[in-house]
Amino acid sequence: MSLLATNVGNVKLKNPVLLASGTCGVAAREFSSYFNLSELGGIVTKSLGIRPWVGNPTPRVVEIPNCGILNSIGLQNPGIEYFAKNELPFLTEQNATVVLNVVGETLDEYIQAVDYIKNRISEFSAIELNLSCPNVDGGLDFSQDPKKAFTVVSEIKKITKIPLWAKLSPNITDITVIGKACIDAGVDGLSLINTILGLAINRWTKKPVLPRGVGGYSGPAIKPIALRMVWQTYKQFPKIPIIGIGGIHTTDDAIEFLLCGASCIQVGTANFANPKASIEIINGLKDYLEKNKLSSISEIVGQAHQNKTPVSARH
Amino acid sequence: MSFKSVFIKAELTQNIELGKDYYVSWFNAPEIIKTISPGQFVMMESGQYLLRPFSVYEIKNNNIGFLYRVIGGGTSFLSKLKIGDKVSIHGPLGKGFSLPENKQKPILIIAGGIGIATFPLVARIAHEKGYKVKTLFGARSVNDLVCAEELKKYGELESITDDGSSGKKGFVTELLTNELKKNKDQEIFVCGPTPMLKSVIKVCNEFGVIAQVSFEEFMACGYGVCMSCVIMANGKYVRTCKEGPVMKSDVVAV
């Protein structure tokens, strides 16, 4: 067994590096030009609904210099049925580990989408519920109201045995409140974090750049915020597996998330500038284990919490 | 056409100033040249967070050239690179222009401004394969009619400028209208700024001809995974980087 193999709760992964939803097309097909999809810990599909979603008008992305990007894609996706018929066979053939990301406008839509694949436990390693898209009306509701988060997670748990992760929004005062609601409802893992609400202004037109005004902020600038939320959540709920997401571009970034308590990580916006970012991180983690004579990557998960805060870092 | 794109570090071999603010940057990139087809593009590291799309201007002895006008941080970064500097290049990407099966069908190139950058390679290959090539080139002024001489090597070229500083004063759509009045049976290739593309498509629609148009939208990734560079085609948002950049004019709403 590879030193990088890891368990995220009851989900077994070859290594702790996955491609994040919304940053690898519908089903990561495009990445197969650069490496075998089976080399990854897994791929997380585009958020899929029970019906196709059209998506937002353009421009959909604006670059924030030196910091990352602001996006407003609006969850354009072909729907779960199209995915299951046209994309999933390719992923199976490639021997890829697949996490299905699901979205709905209403509780019923989440249920219908999961219901469509609920018994296909051999094809999906996990389901990740997107409770946190900032780019559609009401997209954040499930991630800002603990009662709604509890309801959607518990309803989905009733209909499928596929392990369930909930992807939470950072656009909230205390992420552990929503985390607790999901845990109480039986969630198997928490994906932290989705994008941060932001805005970009065009000084010449004197209007927001993106048609909906706000967009989701991602890239290097959000890493400290994501790390803080992983840290807080792990500290309060050390037993619940955390999937770390947010500004991960390098092996060092990935290690920091693992030390904070993430069992695995997802590479997102970094894929846009470098299709091989995830593979470079996997190779970097192998080197890290060898150099530090570790027998398993899971040894470092949460390690930052065991060490006392150095005096110089106290305030 | 199927091709394999690569993500490589390529070395700058030459940076040529073509005129005020216009440059051609050459990079050694045999891996990319191997599979390239005319009208494709690459994403190139240019000192920003994301890579930037550049259409391929020419290929020569393992080198790939990009013609651009310095308009912002990315193009300014490129224009200042020194020989031997290395940058990431990702490509070739997207779908390019398709030459017609009928070799007797003339190729009519319609270029607006820096949209000309994609055509020297297209025109040369078409010319070498025996197609008759003609270029209609609209630009702001005489200073913006870059690489017109080069295109003349492959066929006739007519130009028109917004300010009348060279040739007639007006827009390229006038030249196109005259040309289509003479002969509608031509394979039309178009590249330029979006408002110009829309005007050209309207003229094509009036004459009932279908053009191959290279579209442009802001793109984050360039290889189909971010869904940002979409345009509405046949009532659906499609990716200009993957289903395009070259698409048929009749699928796009203008």
Side-chain angles (χ1 to χ4, degrees):
Chain A
M1 196 165 106
S2 153
L3 305 183
L4 285 181
T6 191
N7 291 337
V8 181
N10 42 2
V11 180
K12 285 186 174 34
L13 299 177
K14 188 177 296 170
N15 63 62
V17 180
L18 297 92
L19 300 181
S21 182
T23 66
C24 55
V26 173
R29 196 182 274 272
E30 295 79 5
F31 287 81
S32 55
S33 281
Y34 313 97
F35 53 82
N36 292 325
L37 297 181
S38 63
E39 290 177 51
L40 293 166
I43 74 115
V44 188
T45 69
K46 181 82 189 171
S47 292
L48 296 159
I50 188 62
R51 57 189 165 80
W53 293 39
V54 179
N56 291 338
T58 55
R60 289 177 166 187
V61 167
V62 54
E63 180 164 331
I64 311 298
N66 303 319
C67 297
I69 63 172
L70 200 60
N71 89 76
S72 179
I73 306 295
L75 295 175
Q76 177 178 345
N77 78 84
I80 198 157
E81 188 177 341
Y82 177 93
F83 166 81
K85 287 183 180 149
N86 299 287
E87 300 289 347
L88 188 56
F90 171 77
L91 291 173
T92 309
E93 179 196 303
Q94 296 289 306
N95 213 8
T97 300
V98 185
V99 175
L100 178 78
N101 187 296
V102 170
V103 73
E105 272 195 288
T106 60
L107 174 63
D108 199 46
E109 284 191 4
Y110 279 101
I111 293 171
Q112 284 181 48
V114 173
D115 193 65
Y116 187 79
I117 51 87
K118 64 183 174 188
N119 297 322
R120 301 170 73 162
I121 197 154
S122 64
E123 288 161 283
F124 299 109
S125 293
I127 293 171
E128 180 177 76
L129 294 179
N130 180 0
L131 301 182
S132 46
C133 181
N135 293 323
V136 296
D137 292 334
L140 289 172
D141 291 0
F142 288 98
S143 205
Q144 289 181 331
D145 179 344
K147 282 185 199 133
K148 283 191 175 173
F150 178 89
T151 307
V152 67
V153 170
S154 53
E155 290 300 316
I156 299 296
K157 281 302 285 182
K158 279 180 203 161
I159 58 173
T160 182
K161 291 198 165 62
I162 301 172
L164 187 65
W165 301 347
K167 186 167 179 180
L168 302 189
S169 171
N171 303 300
I172 181 159
T173 311
D174 183 355
I175 198 161
T176 63
V177 173
I178 304 295
K180 182 170 191 309
C182 294
I183 294 167
D184 290 346
V187 87
D188 299 291
L190 294 173
S191 301
L192 310 176
I193 57 175
N194 206 320
T195 56
I196 298 168
L197 271 177
L199 188 107
I201 286 285
N202 181 323
R203 291 188 298 280
W204 291 273
T205 62
K206 302 186 170 71
K207 288 193 296 196
V209 178
L210 299 174
R212 294 183 83 251
V214 298
Y217 190 25
S218 66
I222 77 161
K223 190 183 81 172
I225 299 166
L227 279 174
R228 185 260 294 179
M229 292 190 165
V230 170
W231 172 276
Q232 275 182 311
T233 306
Y234 184 86
K235 196 166 183 183
Q236 199 157 336
F237 311 109
K239 286 192 180 128
I240 193 79
I242 295 171
I243 299 93
I245 318 162
I248 298 172
H249 289 67
T250 64
T251 303
D252 290 348
D253 295 335
I255 290 168
E256 290 170 21
F257 273 83
L258 298 172
L259 289 170
C260 273
S263 298
C264 67
I265 59 103
Q266 295 178 10
V267 178
T269 307
N271 295 321
F272 297 164
N274 177 3
K276 294 193 285 195
S278 53
I279 292 298
E280 289 169 10
I281 293 172
I282 292 169
N283 291 333
L285 288 175
K286 274 182 207 155
D287 291 346
Y288 175 82
L289 289 185
E290 273 169 34
K291 272 187 200 136
N292 291 281
K293 301 193 168 57
L294 297 169
S295 57
S296 163
I297 192 71
S298 50
E299 282 180 42
I300 69 165
V301 172
Q303 219 175 41
H305 294 266
Q306 292 158 19
N307 300 326
K308 284 195 173 153
T309 311
V311 175
S312 59
R314 286 187 190 150
H315 293 284
Chain B
M1 187 174 172
S2 87
F3 62 89
K4 197 169 166 68
S5 48
V6 293
F7 185 83
I8 56 161
K9 282 271 180 197
E11 195 175 301
L12 183 96
T13 53
Q14 216 180 359
N15 230 350
I16 303 168
E17 199 172 347
L18 272 195
K20 191 181 163 3
D21 295 337
Y22 287 93
Y23 287 82
V24 176
S25 299
W26 291 92
F27 295 87
N28 184 261
E31 308 92 324
I32 290 179
I33 290 168
K34 215 159 50 182
T35 61
I36 206 155
S37 69
Q40 286 190 294
F41 69 100
V42 305
M43 295 296 282
M44 187 151 42
E45 177 186 345
S46 40
Q48 317 292 303
Y49 174 61
L50 297 170
L51 311 191
R52 292 287 186 268
F54 285 85
S55 52
V56 178
Y57 155 72
E58 253 297 8
I59 48 180
K60 199 167 61 186
N61 312 327
N62 281 342
N63 284 267
I64 186 166
F66 306 98
L67 164 65
Y68 55 91
R69 187 160 75 92
V70 175
I71 47 160
T75 44
S76 165
F77 171 91
L78 271 186
S79 70
K80 288 176 188 147
L81 287 179
K82 302 273 176 287
I83 289 169
D85 286 350
K86 284 187 167 181
V87 295
S88 297
I89 302 184
H90 183 191
L93 299 165
K95 290 201 174 72
F97 294 100
S98 312
L99 295 169
E101 276 176 30
N102 173 8
K103 290 222 162 181
Q104 304 308 313
K105 193 174 184 186
I107 308 283
L108 183 63
I109 288 171
I110 319 290
I114 194 62
I116 197 73
T118 196
F119 286 124
L121 177 66
V122 175
R124 177 171 62 79
I125 288 178
H127 174 73
E128 285 169 2
K129 290 192 169 171
Y131 292 91
K132 180 172 171 265
V133 178
K134 178 171 183 176
T135 302
L136 307 179
F137 187 4
R140 286 185 309 180
S141 78
V142 64
N143 298 324
D144 302 293
L145 289 170
V146 287
C147 72
E149 291 310 311
E150 187 175 350
L151 279 155
K152 281 180 189 166
K153 290 192 279 185
Y154 314 122
E156 202 184 331
L157 180 136
E158 266 183 65
S159 61
I160 189 163
T161 51
D162 297 1
D163 64 0
S165 54
S166 169
K168 230 180 132 184
K169 182 179 173 173
F171 298 113
V172 75
T173 39
E174 285 176 42
L175 302 182
L176 173 63
T177 306
N178 292 339
E179 193 64 33
L180 289 175
K181 277 179 188 163
K182 283 186 271 176
N183 180 13
K184 285 207 304 187
D185 193 22
Q186 307 198 57
E187 192 70 30
I188 301 172
F189 294 169
V190 195
C191 186
T194 303
M196 170 265 187
L197 297 183
K198 288 186 174 174
S199 310
V200 167
I201 292 171
K202 276 181 193 151
V203 172
C204 290
N205 289 347
E206 282 162 25
F207 283 88
V209 294
I210 296 167
Q212 297 185 38
V213 182
S214 184
F215 289 95
E216 193 180 3
E217 270 294 338
F218 181 86
M219 47 182 73
C221 73
Y223 66 109
V225 303
C226 74
M227 304 304 291
S228 64
C229 65
V230 296
I231 59 167
M232 200 47 101
N234 283 336
K236 261 174 42 182
Y237 280 126
V238 301
R239 302 164 294 185
T240 53
C241 73
K242 200 81 185 172
E243 283 74 45
V246 178
M247 286 186 257
K248 296 263 177 72
S249 58
D250 62 337
V251 302
V252 181
V254 287

